[in-house]
Amino acid sequence: MAAARSGGEAVTRALRTRPSGSSPPQTVATSAHGRNMGLLWVGQFVNTAGLMMLVPIMPFYLRQIGTSGLAETQTWAGVAIAAPALALTVATPLWGRLGDRIGRKWMVVRALLGLAVAMIVMATASSPLVLMAGRLLQGTLGGVVEAAAAFAGSTGSDEKRGSALGKSFSATAAGALAGPIAGGLLVGSGGLPQLMLGIAGSAVALAVACAWGLREPGRTRAADERSTEARPGERERPSVLRVPGAVALALAAIAAYFGVYGLIPVYAEHVESTAADRAGASLWVGVLHSVMWGATLLGSFWWGKHNDLTGRPLRTFALAAAGCAASIAIMSLPLDPYAMIPFRLLQGFCFAALAQSAFLHFSKHAPGEHKSTFVSTANSYLLIGQSAGPLLAGPLVAMLSTPSAVLVMAGACSLGCLLAIKPCLDEKRSRIDPGELTDNTDLAGIDATRPIPLTSQRAGVAAVPFRGWLIDPRHLGSLATRYATPWNGEETSSTPVAWQRRGVIVQDRQPAFYAYEQTGPHGTLSGVLAAVHLDSALRTHEEVVPERATQLARFMDHGRMNLDPALLGVSGDGHITRQLARTTRQQPITEVRAQDGQTHRLWRITDRSARDEITADLGTRAAFIADGHHRCAAARQHRRAARAEGRGPGPWDHFPALLVDISATPLRLGPVHRILPQLDPHHALRTVSARFRVHPLHGPLRHWLAALKHHADREPAFLLATPRGGFLLTDPHPDFLSAALADTPPPLRSTHVAVLDAALVHHLWHARHVECEPNAATAIHVARRTGGVAVLTNPPSQHDLRTAASSGIRLPPRSTSFGPKPHPGLVFRTLDEHEGRA
């Protein structure tokens, strides 16, 4: 299928992906989503309460079951605190692979039953060795928190993923808050074994409830198809090391968690040495520990929303690590327990940001089908620090004074902050602009002359010439199909490198702009092909599908070549048009007549004065992305990866684009129809009949489209094409629209494409496999061939685009089709050399 094709003509054909914001069918989502989240939250709470109840008072409990002396007690405390994390570090990948086979639901049930077994062992422990065995079981058989965090980090929309992680960590914080309070209250009275047995019973009951109540969505068919259709190179498991700043962030996570968790066994001794009433030290330890986790509980929500708003989780991580370091360092002073409370609050609030920020960063840069793997890997870094800190805390206390050991933990957090600074700066330099994936704060309308705030560092379009790779004249015949490109070959030999070696493409000797023109029955298009800087003033009007942008970025990285040019519109005052007119009087260097009747011609613009005039004119004007949102997003992803690897400015700062002066050559705005090949036509017609007025259609397709246009001028109307024929859908029921569009931003509720996607495709039909096609006849043909349906629509109006733009909202992905589109195979641009300035 065409899902592996790049933008332009390729993306126009078919985009196989789960649409942005899609969800499981409403019948499942409404009844199961809340129950799933509730059960998982309670599971995390019980798991964490059982894990953390002994942590702050571990030295006191160990003394009750047989340890003596400071060094022995601290050593056993460190080992017992670290044991679950050590076991979990080893067991998590194994449980993860098993979960991929039998389902995450049963991993949750298994973890709760494992918690019950571990609690029974610890409740009956009469020696430190048996207690540690129970703690090892707790880590080996546990993993509820890790599974839930991976779930939150790998699902949901990008713009809300931070909040989802924050809510997930709130359950962990709540358990860590309640567990130490109970442990601190009962350690002196000898009631801890009874509490452990109570937690074991609760875990068993909850495991039964999860086995009955959890509903795990299955793997989507679209994902399976993408997996089976992928080329051999695409099926390779992506490396986590490709995430920007992965190594530095891994070390930072280890250091920060080393400091926070290494403080725990040391802290009990420190509080006991500073408390006026040494007999009540165990209670104070539990209280201060719970104070920290109470702040973590509140901070989890705040940091999650903060990460969504700023889009900079690495900055959040660095700030939080610095906050932990400062608060821990101050607590090394001989403070009264009351005076420690504000610093424990600060430490807990900052600690809440560490894990979820690391998870969010890895999740954002992971391919859609590997997000859970990337998040789990990030969690393993935290577990290393979580286990190493308590293990080394005992020897440190034996060698140093308690305040000095506390300062060591503060230094570890400081190291985590320092290690995160460079990735944080790289994140700032190459972060996703508002014009990229999911941030909806900056949307420009289709009117490129209207002043709309931009976050770009440039006021206009920065364009430079480049040394293009052109099709050798002997191979021009292959361009007649308009799909012959190095990244879209059906054979493995059809790659950029293979084309270069075989002489299919040859590179120009000097950098140039290229004049491009196409004429024919489908319209006329002319413009300048140039390499456009990614920080240019580029305005967007559509969202993109993050997984699609990531896929295209992988194509670029594998082939070391840009994809076909994006189509950019500018409102010029004649400079570009005059230069094009002068250039096109000459003989073209390439001329191809495609099978659709369009003739495509290409010229070089090498004259310095002509190039300078074009460059100066574009530098004062913003451009809107008419076609190529995904290619632009992919180019930005590729640049972020290059910057994260320490490479400075280079060819990854630009991407090829055809700049068209829409004042001289207006672009044609067309619709993008939807094809639902897996939707049963009888079901589709039956369900839609209760919400729309349905009119059977007869005659040729042009009569159908005329009827659609007539009704769509007044209200949302669509054409449902089935193997039985065509049906015009008009007069949607207001209550149906109100319910279906409840989650749609108000400015978009009147647009036909929003009604089509949100109300029909998702709310009514729960379709997961959706293809996009701008040609109505082709859409109907594909629907009939596959036995599904096609839904034809009208394009958004200028009013729709301006309304969305003025509200700061983008249209759904694949809402518009501007054209005619440039030929993708006339000139190529590689990524292995700097732009020419000659």
Side-chain angles (χ1 to χ4, degrees):
M1 289 299 296
R5 293 171 180 162
S6 61
E9 281 292 318
V11 175
T12 300
R13 296 292 302 168
L15 181 61
R16 282 192 174 184
T17 185
R18 184 170 57 190
S20 177
S22 66
S23 61
Q26 287 290 335
T27 54
V28 176
T30 302
S31 61
H33 180 71
R35 182 170 62 249
N36 282 353
M37 293 301 99
L39 287 171
L40 288 175
W41 197 96
V42 176
Q44 291 179 82
F45 173 83
V46 171
N47 183 84
T48 307
L51 181 70
M52 297 297 291
M53 60 180 293
L54 286 178
V55 167
I57 45 85
M58 187 68 73
F60 305 110
Y61 188 63
L62 284 167
R63 290 172 192 164
Q64 291 182 4
I65 60 175
T67 63
S68 62
L70 176 62
E72 182 184 1
T73 300
Q74 285 297 322
T75 301
W76 274 110
V79 172
I81 292 173
L86 283 173
L88 194 58
T89 302
V90 177
T92 296
L94 303 177
W95 290 129
R97 283 194 286 270
L98 180 60
D100 289 338
R101 287 187 173 185
I102 67 174
R104 186 177 295 145
K105 164 184 174 177
W106 299 111
M107 289 300 96
V108 174
V109 174
R110 180 269 313 157
L112 289 167
L113 293 176
L115 173 65
V117 172
M119 281 289 138
I120 293 172
V121 173
M122 288 191 292
T124 58
S126 58
S127 68
L129 189 61
V130 177
L131 177 66
M132 195 182 73
R135 297 282 288 176
L136 285 171
L137 279 174
Q138 196 172 20
T140 303
L141 301 179
V144 176
V145 173
E146 286 67 29
F151 181 82
S154 60
T155 59
S157 62
D158 277 2
E159 65 271 16
K160 296 298 182 183
R161 188 164 289 139
S163 296
L165 282 165
K167 293 175 182 176
S168 175
F169 277 96
S170 71
T172 303
L177 171 63
I181 290 178
L185 290 173
L186 295 177
V187 66
S189 63
L192 278 179
Q194 290 76 13
L195 177 60
M196 294 178 193
L197 292 175
I199 291 177
S202 300
V204 171
L206 187 58
V208 174
C210 288
W212 173 81
L214 280 182
R215 295 292 183 270
E216 184 177 6
R219 179 178 173 91
T220 63
R221 185 184 301 268
D224 291 333
E225 290 175 352
R226 285 196 300 270
S227 180
T228 56
E229 290 180 2
R231 297 188 179 103
E234 297 170 37
R235 288 196 297 266
E236 297 177 1
R237 182 174 295 275
S239 172
V240 177
L241 296 179
R242 299 291 298 277
V243 172
V247 175
L249 187 58
L251 295 175
I254 293 171
Y257 260 50
F258 178 96
V260 171
Y261 279 88
L263 177 68
I264 294 173
V266 177
Y267 196 63
E269 295 293 339
H270 186 56
V271 172
E272 187 176 26
S273 66
T274 58
D277 180 13
R278 298 177 67 89
S282 62
L283 178 59
W284 265 116
V285 170
V287 169
L288 289 172
H289 200 78
S290 297
V291 163
M292 189 205 87
W293 282 104
T296 302
L297 174 60
L298 298 177
S300 296
F301 297 103
W302 191 89
W303 287 114
K305 293 180 180 179
H306 177 78
N307 280 334
D308 283 336
L309 289 174
T310 63
R312 296 188 59 188
L314 295 188
R315 183 181 68 175
T316 298
F317 183 96
L319 290 173
C324 288
S327 59
I328 293 174
I330 293 174
M331 286 186 291
S332 67
L333 300 173
L335 300 175
D336 181 87
Y338 285 104
M340 292 185 183
I341 291 177
F343 303 109
R344 291 293 279 178
L345 288 171
L346 175 61
Q347 182 193 347
F349 183 78
C350 294
F351 175 72
L354 294 176
Q356 61 172 296
S357 298
F359 289 177
L360 180 59
H361 178 72
F362 278 81
S363 173
K364 286 173 64 176
H365 292 278
E369 64 274 21
H370 296 288
K371 288 186 183 293
S372 184
T373 300
F374 277 42
V375 170
S376 297
T377 302
N379 186 56
S380 68
Y381 304 144
L382 300 173
L383 289 172
I384 292 172
Q386 182 177 335
S387 55
L391 275 176
L392 297 179
L396 277 174
V397 172
M399 293 185 296
L400 305 172
S401 65
T402 303
S404 298
V406 174
L407 284 176
V408 170
M409 302 310 164
C413 291
S414 298
L415 178 61
C417 173
L418 293 175
L419 288 168
I421 287 178
K422 186 180 184 303
C424 174
L425 295 176
D426 292 337
E427 177 187 56
K428 179 181 180 180
R429 287 191 292 265
S430 59
R431 71 188 182 97
I432 304 173
D433 321 2
E436 206 173 340
L437 298 176
T438 55
D439 186 358
N440 293 326
T441 59
D442 174 44
L443 172 71
I446 201 61
D447 181 4
T449 63
R450 192 167 68 88
I452 296 179
L454 295 170
T455 60
S456 169
Q457 300 174 359
R458 302 173 187 269
V461 175
V464 297
F466 65 99
R467 290 182 62 198
W469 289 80
L470 309 179
I471 297 288
D472 185 273
R474 294 170 297 176
H475 298 277
L476 285 177
S478 64
L479 296 183
T481 65
R482 297 199 67 184
Y483 294 115
T485 58
W487 53 82
N488 191 43
E490 298 300 329
E491 301 176 0
T492 57
S493 61
S494 185
T495 65
V497 174
W499 276 35
Q500 293 173 25
R501 291 174 178 172
R502 288 161 46 199
V504 177
I505 54 178
V506 292
Q507 191 173 30
D508 273 349
R509 295 183 177 180
Q510 60 178 328
F513 286 147
Y514 296 89
Y516 168 80
E517 176 187 81
Q518 75 165 283
T519 57
H522 299 292
T524 299
L525 181 71
S526 62
V528 173
L529 274 168
V532 173
H533 200 284
L534 288 166
D535 291 333
S536 298
L538 304 177
R539 292 170 171 166
T540 62
H541 65 278
E542 284 185 0
E543 291 284 3
V544 303
V545 180
E547 290 79 6
R548 176 60 177 159
T550 300
Q551 181 188 40
L552 297 182
R554 289 203 298 266
F555 290 160
M556 292 173 56
D557 184 67
H558 175 70
R560 308 302 305 157
M561 179 176 284
N562 279 118
L563 303 171
D564 44 297
L567 179 59
L568 306 182
V570 296
S571 293
D573 58 4
H575 292 280
I576 295 177
T577 303
R578 285 196 298 272
Q579 293 302 331
L580 288 174
R582 295 170 188 167
T583 303
T584 54
R585 296 192 190 110
Q586 307 168 18
Q587 186 71 19
I589 57 174
T590 300
E591 183 170 358
V592 174
R593 183 179 178 84
Q595 293 175 345
D596 60 0
Q598 294 289 104
T599 299
H600 306 265
R601 302 181 181 88
L602 193 71
W603 297 261
R604 293 187 189 91
I605 304 177
T606 56
D607 180 71
R608 182 177 293 275
S609 62
R611 284 177 11 197
D612 289 346
E613 182 177 357
I614 293 173
T615 300
D617 184 54
L618 291 173
T620 63
R621 306 181 187 283
F624 75 90
I625 303 177
D627 184 74
H629 289 81
H630 287 87
R631 277 161 283 165
C632 183
R636 286 187 171 120
Q637 286 194 27
H638 185 271
R639 178 176 68 169
R640 287 199 303 276
R643 295 287 178 85
E645 294 171 3
R647 291 182 280 173
W652 40 83
D653 292 323
H654 296 77
F655 74 117
L658 178 67
L659 295 126
V660 176
D661 183 351
I662 58 175
S663 302
T665 310
L667 298 175
R668 184 180 70 247
L669 175 58
V672 180
H673 311 297
R674 283 4 182 199
I675 306 170
L676 290 75
Q678 297 175 359
L679 181 62
D680 177 59
H682 299 286
H683 170 73
L685 190 59
R686 182 177 66 255
T687 53
V688 82
S689 298
R691 281 87 174 177
F692 285 77
R693 182 174 296 175
V694 179
H695 312 269
L697 295 173
H698 306 283
L701 177 59
R702 66 176 183 274
H703 292 169
W704 296 10
L705 296 177
L708 173 63
K709 185 178 185 307
H710 173 73
H711 286 274
D713 286 341
R714 302 191 304 270
E715 61 183 358
F718 308 97
L719 200 159
L720 178 64
T722 73
R724 294 176 48 194
F727 302 87
L728 182 64
L729 313 179
T730 64
D731 302 308
H733 197 282
D735 291 341
F736 165 68
L737 291 185
S738 177
L741 301 175
D743 295 331
T744 301
L748 296 183
R749 292 177 185 174
S750 61
T751 61
H752 294 197
V753 68
V755 175
L756 171 58
D757 282 345
L760 283 175
V761 174
H762 299 149
H763 183 83
L764 183 60
W765 292 328
H766 315 306
R768 296 186 180 184
H769 186 179
V770 183
E771 298 181 11
C772 300
E773 171 57 55
N775 184 276
T778 302
I780 294 175
H781 173 74
V782 172
R784 288 176 175 171
R785 176 172 53 83
T786 59
V789 303
V791 186
L792 309 187
T793 182
N794 269 12
S797 65
Q798 295 286 341
H799 173 73
D800 292 337
L801 296 174
R802 284 193 294 269
T803 299
S806 63
S807 305
I809 303 295
R810 293 190 187 91
L811 296 175
R814 305 299 296 130
S815 297
T816 60
S817 175
F818 284 93
K821 302 188 189 317
H823 197 298
L826 294 187
V827 60
F828 308 103
R829 176 179 175 271
T830 58
L831 293 166
D832 291 321
E833 58 185 327
H834 287 265
E835 304 302 334
R837 310 284 180 185

